Amino acid sequence: MASNSNLSVVIDIGTSKIVGLAGQKTEEGKMEILAVSRVSSKGVKRGVVFNIEELASCLKEVIADLEKQLDAEITGVEIAFAGQQMKTADYRGYRYTSDDGVVSDFDINELYNEAKSYKVEQNYKTIHIVPQSFIIDDEIRELNPVGITGRKLEANYKLFIVPEVHILNFQRVFEKVGVNIEGITLSPLAISESALSEDEKENGAVLLDIGAGTTKLAVFHNSVLKHVAVIPFGGDVVTKDIREGCSILLKWAEQLKVKYGEALGDFADEQKVVTIPGHNGWEPKEISFKSLAFIIQARMEEIIDNVNLQIGKSGVEEKLGFGVVVSGGTADMSNLISLVKFRTGLDARKAFPVIHPVNRRKEFQNQDLLTAFGLLKMTLEKEEESEGIRTKRKKEKKKKENNGLSSWRKAIQGVLDYIDDDNDDLAMN
């Protein structure tokens, strides 16, 4: 967060790029973008830190760029990362309602705190706690049960946990940058905020983000996050397959994938070829679009089959009314949406932002910004909620003080009334 302004700063740390955003809520409650910065990522492999010095150098560049645009010092940020080796754990707790048989905020907070303190797998840390259902007197109720009558309250939570060493390494990096980490979010949750509508979350949808180093997915149903997974390979392995299959340099393989790549070999034009320039005396190479497409299709099918496995683990694969929303740079590849439909048996579409800032709207159609954009939305809402809680506490404190003052005035008035009564009595005598 910038030191001289009530705004939020977020950073999406990916394998191929790092994106920084700064924004704030306007008086009308809209999101306003104040600064954007993008750099190529170094020191990150498959979404986690492997070289602290390299990543710190990249982050310093992003922070400096944002500070220049804001004309302010940044002291803390919220970050999103892929969360490789992320796992889930289930927690179920219960308590008896404390407010005369009516579920209160206190009851919900107590159960949440129990889930928060639940001891997970050794060397793992909980970073997200998501309520799945509440049961009141053995009857399943809505996710906001406050005010419902009943004696016994049960809560089911899904805990998303990551290796502690991943968090520790990010902390080490940001210590070198001189900026505090104020919160950590799994990137599939962040991008879901910007690319999935509330209707899609309610009726059932999968957010599938195919990044450079990892493929992330988040499964929603009944507006509840049911499953999150990180598959440890993405667009980079496609590039490596092209390099090996065509015996060319990695840089040429990446350009082939981006410019001419297709996800379905049967639909590629076998008459079209692309020529790779020769170098150091080697002859140029001609590669057919069809051969290139079949190399890409083989790897993409493997990725999508892993996605299918994770959708099955969600337990709601038969209840996904909308289907799959595909994001990431690979989402632009020709025929990828068709391949996703074919391999999953679900409908699919390319991701686009379902939320919009009040400014710079055209810029925020970019796939590269969706994760950071969703994280900014989450962070601003969290700040707003925290401010609301602080305001509520201030009001409660003021009310308590006023009640105390009122009681004190009543006590004084009682004494005065007693004195007045005595005077009247004396006068009557």
Side-chain angles (χ1 to χ4, degrees):
M1 164 177 311
S3 58
N4 68 344
S5 178
N6 184 25
L7 57 84
S8 294
V9 179
V10 302
I11 297 180
D12 167 30
I13 302 174
T15 301
S16 64
K17 68 183 184 306
I18 297 174
V19 178
L21 291 184
Q24 64 184 9
K25 281 283 187 76
T26 65
E27 293 181 356
E28 295 78 23
K30 304 294 184 180
M31 193 171 2
E32 182 181 15
I33 306 299
L34 301 178
V36 181
S37 181
R38 281 175 283 187
V39 301
S40 296
S41 182
K42 294 180 181 178
V44 180
K45 187 175 183 180
R46 293 178 178 171
V48 297
V49 180
F50 78 91
N51 189 312
I52 289 174
E53 295 294 337
E54 285 185 349
L55 180 56
S57 177
C58 294
L59 289 169
K60 284 178 181 177
E61 185 178 346
V62 170
I63 295 295
D65 189 16
L66 292 174
E67 288 181 333
K68 183 178 179 180
Q69 295 177 54
L70 295 169
D71 191 24
E73 180 186 7
I74 294 172
T75 57
V77 299
E78 300 258 350
I79 67 171
F81 82 114
Q84 187 189 358
Q85 298 178 354
M86 183 275 304
K87 297 181 180 181
T88 60
D90 294 316
Y91 175 78
R92 184 170 188 170
Y94 75 92
R95 62 179 283 109
Y96 290 94
T97 52
S98 56
D99 190 16
D100 298 326
V102 179
V103 179
S104 65
D105 286 321
F106 176 80
D107 297 318
I108 302 300
N109 290 337
E110 285 295 297
L111 287 170
Y112 180 86
N113 289 332
E114 288 177 14
K116 191 175 181 180
S117 60
Y118 177 68
K119 191 172 182 179
V120 296
E121 187 175 332
Q122 188 175 7
N123 299 323
Y124 272 73
K125 183 176 181 178
T126 301
I127 62 172
H128 295 296
I129 301 171
V130 180
Q132 300 294 297
S133 65
F134 290 99
I135 302 172
I136 303 172
D137 292 342
D138 299 322
E139 184 177 349
I140 297 177
R141 296 287 185 173
E142 58 201 61
L143 282 179
N144 184 19
V146 175
I148 296 177
T149 59
R151 292 303 304 167
K152 185 179 180 181
L153 171 64
E154 298 178 61
N156 294 300
Y157 294 97
K158 192 169 287 292
L159 281 55
F160 296 92
I161 62 177
V162 297
E164 289 182 335
V165 66
H166 292 178
I167 306 301
L168 178 61
N169 285 337
F170 278 115
Q171 290 172 340
R172 288 170 174 166
V173 170
F174 277 90
E175 282 176 5
K176 288 186 171 293
V177 178
V179 173
N180 294 323
I181 298 177
E182 296 179 341
I184 298 177
T185 299
L186 290 172
S187 59
L189 273 68
I191 197 169
S192 297
E193 286 297 306
S194 61
L196 285 186
S197 68
E198 293 306 316
D199 287 343
E200 287 170 330
K201 291 178 182 179
E202 181 181 353
N203 205 35
V206 179
L207 189 287
L208 174 60
D209 181 37
I210 306 175
T214 58
T215 298
K216 289 83 67 180
L217 70 149
V219 184
F220 289 84
H221 182 254
N222 282 342
S223 300
V224 176
L225 178 64
K226 292 294 185 181
H227 187 65
V228 171
V230 179
I231 299 167
F233 46 88
D236 281 354
V237 294
V238 177
T239 303
K240 290 176 182 177
D241 286 350
I242 296 171
R243 178 190 65 180
E244 294 173 6
C246 300
S247 299
I248 58 176
L249 294 174
L250 191 65
K251 64 179 181 180
W252 295 120
E254 178 67 17
Q255 288 190 33
L256 281 179
K257 182 186 75 174
V258 173
K259 290 185 177 181
Y260 309 109
E262 298 182 44
L264 287 172
D266 288 337
F267 290 92
D269 190 340
E270 59 186 347
Q271 302 300 320
K272 288 185 177 180
V273 296
V274 59
T275 301
I276 303 297
H279 65 287
N280 295 333
W282 295 101
E283 293 290 328
K285 284 189 176 182
E286 287 191 346
I287 298 169
S288 74
F289 279 32
K290 201 170 192 68
S291 297
L292 176 64
F294 275 119
I295 292 172
I296 293 171
Q297 180 178 341
R299 180 62 76 174
M300 292 309 304
E301 285 180 343
E302 182 185 356
I303 291 174
I304 297 168
D305 288 346
N306 274 273
V307 169
N308 262 333
L309 181 64
Q310 293 299 330
I311 293 174
K313 289 182 178 180
S314 72
V316 295
E317 66 272 24
E318 302 297 330
K319 302 176 182 178
L320 300 174
F322 275 102
V324 184
V325 177
V326 186
S327 68
T330 310
D332 292 325
M333 183 179 290
S334 178
N335 293 320
L336 177 61
I337 299 301
S338 297
L339 182 62
V340 170
K341 289 179 180 180
F342 177 71
R343 300 295 290 192
T344 64
L346 298 168
D347 198 6
R349 71 165 175 87
K350 181 180 171 182
F352 56 81
V354 296
I355 56 175
H356 304 282
V358 294
N359 60 336
R360 304 173 76 157
R361 288 197 174 199
K362 186 175 181 180
E363 182 178 359
F364 278 80
Q365 299 296 315
N366 192 322
Q367 290 276 341
D368 289 348
L369 300 178
L370 283 175
T371 301
F373 192 28
L375 180 59
L376 182 60
K377 175 179 180 285
M378 294 174 70
T379 303
L380 290 172
E381 287 176 349
K382 185 166 61 175
E383 287 293 322
E384 191 174 45
E385 184 179 335
S386 298
E387 183 62 33
I389 291 172
R390 287 192 292 268
T391 303
K392 181 180 178 182
R393 285 176 178 168
K394 286 179 181 179
K395 287 181 178 178
E396 287 175 349
K397 183 179 179 182
K398 187 174 181 180
K399 183 178 179 182
K400 188 174 180 181
E401 290 172 349
N402 288 340
N403 286 341
L405 182 60
S406 178
S407 299
W408 177 77
R409 284 173 175 164
K410 287 177 181 177
I412 295 297
Q413 186 62 46
V415 172
L416 293 173
D417 289 344
Y418 176 74
I419 293 172
D420 290 340
D421 288 344
D422 282 352
N423 287 340
D424 288 341
D425 289 342
L426 287 172
M428 287 176 69
N429 289 335

